[in-house]
Amino acid sequence: MQKKERDLVLTIFKNLFNSLKPRKFTGELKGTDHFGNKYFEIPADDNRNKRARYFEPIGKEDGFDREVPAEWEAWLRGRRKDPPAEEEVIRNYNLALEKKKKALEIEEMFKGTKEKLPALGAAKGKDSFPEYPEYELAPGTKNPKWKSEN
């Protein structure tokens, strides 16, 4: 029983000492995109169960609010196992540009054909409800449009 307690104290001091040492994150370069961002991966080791993935934007002063292609973002978040090939990123980027171009053409084609629809729920108050001759308009008052069979 003494041995387990000593191991626990030793582990606590070892972790404390390791946390005070400066860390060096040296990841392996996995690729770059057409924006100039560089993508890195730190492999898993005994302290880390998962691989760490990160990117360095080309303009460091801009921070991490840079545009990242969807394929690289999926890889960064762990939704992809392997990094995307440069051809795949370029192909998908060209496809997106083509879709934007076609959308502009369609919008230009149907530009003047939009009709204004009446706003739903525009009528408010008592007049907006349907009126049926067999129902009372108010409790105890009969609808004058209703013809009684008596």
Side-chain angles (χ1 to χ4, degrees), residues 6-92:
R6 287 184 184 166
D7 287 343
L8 180 65
V9 172
L10 181 67
T11 304
I12 291 172
F13 280 116
K14 192 184 296 183
N15 288 339
L16 177 66
F17 179 72
N18 287 338
S19 69
L20 297 175
K21 286 194 300 187
R23 297 180 186 176
K24 293 182 181 176
F25 291 112
T26 55
E28 179 184 342
L29 179 66
K30 290 296 183 175
T32 59
D33 62 12
H34 56 280
F35 296 119
N37 300 325
K38 295 179 181 179
Y39 298 90
F40 297 92
E41 181 177 49
I42 301 172
D45 57 4
D46 55 345
N47 292 334
R48 188 182 315 109
N49 294 335
K50 290 177 69 176
R51 295 173 288 206
R53 296 173 176 170
Y54 65 97
F55 78 103
E56 289 180 358
I58 191 152
K60 301 231 181 192
E61 65 276 351
D62 293 340
F64 286 94
D65 293 336
R66 303 283 298 177
E67 189 173 347
V68 176
E71 298 83 12
W72 279 109
E73 185 175 356
W75 179 79
L76 285 171
R77 294 178 182 267
R79 289 179 273 179
R80 289 179 69 126
K81 186 176 181 180
D82 299 321
E86 191 171 336
E87 298 83 31
E88 178 186 1
V89 175
I90 291 172
R91 181 173 23 99
N92 289 344

Side-chain angles (χ1 to χ4, degrees), residues 116-130:
K116 290 202 172 192
L117 298 174
L120 296 175
K124 299 238 179 199
K126 188 177 177 184
D127 296 334
S128 66
F129 292 102

